[in-house]
Amino acid sequence: MTEGLVQIAAEVETFLASLPPGAGRVTLRPMTRHDEDEFTSLTKASAELHHPWMSLPATAEEFQAYLAHFDPANTRRLLVCLRDSGDIAGMVNINSIIRGRFQNGSLGYAAFAPSTGHGYMSEGLALVLRYSFEQLRLHRLEAQIQPDNHASIKLVKRLGFRYEGYSPEMLFIDGAWRDHERWAILNPDPWPAHPSLPNP
């Protein structure tokens, strides 16, 4: 495990320790190379669910490349896991974390087909919001969602995100530049008086 991943694992563990014991049906943990087999199997099983909204690694080579592009300075790759079994139910990335006066992160997330329909992803994303605001002390999180991805829009609305606008050809997905809606949520307990100072 790299130094950056060790730091993130400790960060997540500290956050989880602050929660009531046994709270919720899901928990979070960082993605590691040991997740390759389960993750790629779930990606293959969820191909119809994810298309055309996103593309996740489905082979060993793709998974290794996915991890190789991970930068712990500005990214968190988290797995939403069932508390009872440890099985992966979904994933959430906090991408493009910018500190200074912005204190912002961009979310990418996906549920996996074998465990959809039980509200696990809603619980998992709610945990990621708490982790982002309480542990990372971000001020703002944003999600870019294709307009026809009604399930994803419904999810962020339920969690309190607000619609900020429409961006034509915003992201390159599935071989083309795709239009996206921009949704965002603010830290309900913002800090500090001087946000350009280092994160405590």
Side-chain angles (χ1 to χ4, degrees):
M1 195 180 282
T2 66
E3 182 178 346
L5 199 52
V6 169
Q7 177 185 344
I8 292 171
E11 199 178 72
V12 173
E13 189 174 323
T14 298
F15 164 70
L16 294 174
S18 72
L19 302 176
R25 300 176 297 165
V26 301
T27 188
L28 302 175
R29 65 176 176 81
M31 182 189 299
T32 74
R33 60 184 177 83
H34 302 294
D35 296 307
E36 178 185 304
D37 290 343
E38 185 178 6
F39 192 92
T40 53
S41 294
L42 287 169
T43 297
K44 292 171 186 172
S46 307
E48 186 175 339
L49 176 66
H50 294 164
H51 183 80
W53 318 122
M54 67 187 322
S55 177
L56 293 175
T59 67
E61 293 76 15
E62 290 172 351
F63 187 85
Q64 290 161 15
Y66 189 67
L67 285 185
H69 286 93
F70 166 68
D71 182 354
N74 58 24
T75 306
R76 299 293 184 273
R77 287 197 173 143
L78 303 172
L79 297 174
V80 177
C81 300
L82 303 185
R83 184 179 296 280
D84 292 340
S85 65
D87 293 343
I88 298 172
M91 52 79 64
V92 182
N93 290 338
I94 311 171
N95 300 308
S96 306
I97 297 173
I98 301 175
R99 292 298 187 175
R101 296 186 180 277
F102 200 18
Q103 297 294 338
N104 181 80
S106 179
L107 293 177
Y109 51 87
F112 290 115
S115 53
T116 55
H118 300 283
Y120 297 136
M121 201 60 205
S122 184
E123 285 188 37
L125 194 53
L127 265 184
V128 171
L129 296 186
R130 287 192 63 176
Y131 166 73
S132 300
F133 292 147
E134 296 175 13
Q135 188 69 31
L136 300 183
R137 303 299 291 165
L138 292 175
H139 171 64
R140 181 178 181 276
L141 287 170
E142 59 186 40
Q144 294 84 32
I145 306 171
Q146 294 181 55
D148 290 334
N149 191 347
H150 303 298
S152 188
I153 291 172
K154 183 179 179 181
L155 173 58
V156 296
K157 287 174 72 174
R158 185 164 59 243
L159 292 172
F161 284 69
R162 70 173 187 273
Y163 176 76
E164 289 196 333
Y166 182 87
S167 296
E169 299 186 14
M170 185 179 191
L171 295 173
F172 192 80
I173 297 173
D174 194 35
W177 290 100
R178 307 291 179 181
D179 301 344
H180 282 71
E181 293 183 3
R182 302 188 315 279
W183 293 78
I185 189 169
L186 300 181
N187 191 334
D189 183 26
W191 77 276
H194 303 287
S196 60
L197 297 176
N199 185 43

